[in-house]
């Protein structure tokens, strides 16, 4: 039996920045087609180059390495975390 129905769209998810409290968007890596961009308006598209970043975790002060998955949309903050 085949299912010809289109899967339900995921609702755009946002978070609150842990540093400034402003809205933060998920980061999507890779080549993203225009229709996927239209389906995810509150997403930051970072292209195909994935780099590890070093940061100081604000709550603990510890240095961490990782690939950012979230980005604050406040132009003055721009905190990125995973």
């Amino acid at each position: 039996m085949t299912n010809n129905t289109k899967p339900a769209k995921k609702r755009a998810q946002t978070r609150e920045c842990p540093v400034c409290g402003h809205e933060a968007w998920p980061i999507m890596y890779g080549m993203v087609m225009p229709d996927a961009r239209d389906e995810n308006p509150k997403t930051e598209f970072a292209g195909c180059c994935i780099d590890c970043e070093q940061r100081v975790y604000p709550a603990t002060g510890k240095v961490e390495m990782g690939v950012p998955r979230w980005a604050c949309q406040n132009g003055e903050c721009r905190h990125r975390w995973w």
Side-chain angles (χ1 to χ4, degrees):
M1 178 185 277
T2 61
N3 185 359
N4 292 332
T5 60
K6 192 173 183 178
K9 290 183 185 179
K10 288 194 299 183
R11 207 172 79 207
Q13 295 179 341
T14 62
R15 288 188 177 178
E16 187 175 290
C17 175
V19 175
C20 73
H22 197 270
E23 183 177 52
W25 294 357
I27 300 172
M28 186 182 288
Y29 295 95
M31 291 183 67
V32 181
M33 301 305 287
D35 58 334
R37 288 178 184 259
D38 293 342
E39 290 176 10
N40 300 286
K42 289 193 171 189
T43 301
E44 189 169 295
F45 299 97
C48 295
C49 186
I50 300 173
D51 288 327
C52 261
E53 293 184 11
Q54 180 176 323
R55 68 162 180 157
V56 176
Y57 186 68
T60 63
K62 292 182 180 180
V63 176
E64 298 179 335
M65 292 289 293
V67 176
R69 297 189 61 187
W70 291 92
C72 177
Q73 297 302 300
N74 178 351
E76 294 178 9
C77 177
R78 297 298 297 161
H79 178 66
R80 295 161 53 99
W81 73 96
W82 41 94

